[in-house]
Amino acid sequence: AGAGAAGAAAVNSCETCRDDHCCSVYEYCVTCCMRPEQASVLKQLLGRTSKAFQPLLSRAKDRYELCTAACRTNSLSVQHENKFRDPNGRHCFGAEPAALVLTDVK
């Protein structure tokens, strides 16, 4: 029962996800996005996504494909093309990208 029960408990888990719909772990981003109560967030995402990402999201055949596409890191999740805007919120399924977290430059 051990591993199976743990796997079943993780279905639609939002562990590592925050109120801004950004998560530190891709798999949790997808499962949280799949929750029925996130339907309005996905509608906002589809309505506010930049033109560059509309073709990708509009090709999604179902909610799972939409969530996997939305949670992938993309140009909105990085700054200066090589650093995540927020290392703890790099996978987002909301209409807004992760907030910019300023870190010390060394």
Side-chain angles (χ1 to χ4, degrees), residues 2-75:
V11 172
N12 292 343
S13 173
C14 288
E15 187 176 334
T16 82
C17 299
R18 305 180 309 223
D19 290 340
D20 64 356
H21 312 294
C22 292
C23 314
S24 62
V25 177
Y26 172 77
E27 291 80 4
Y28 287 126
C29 180
V30 174
T31 59
C32 191
C33 176
M34 293 290 294
R35 284 184 165 190
E37 62 267 23
Q38 302 297 355
S40 63
V41 174
L42 291 176
K43 285 180 185 173
Q44 280 185 326
L45 173 66
L46 289 171
R48 297 179 68 184
T49 299
S50 70
K51 292 187 189 320
F53 294 107
Q54 281 292 350
L56 174 67
L57 296 180
S58 65
R59 285 194 302 257
K61 296 181 182 103
D62 56 27
R63 187 179 187 138
Y64 177 75
E65 286 188 8
L66 178 60
C67 288
T68 58
C71 287
R72 283 189 199 105
T73 56
N74 57 54
S75 61

Side-chain angles (χ1 to χ4, degrees), residues 21 51 66 82 84 86 92:
H21 312 294
K51 292 187 189 320
L66 178 60
N82 64 355
F84 285 108
D86 179 354
C92 301

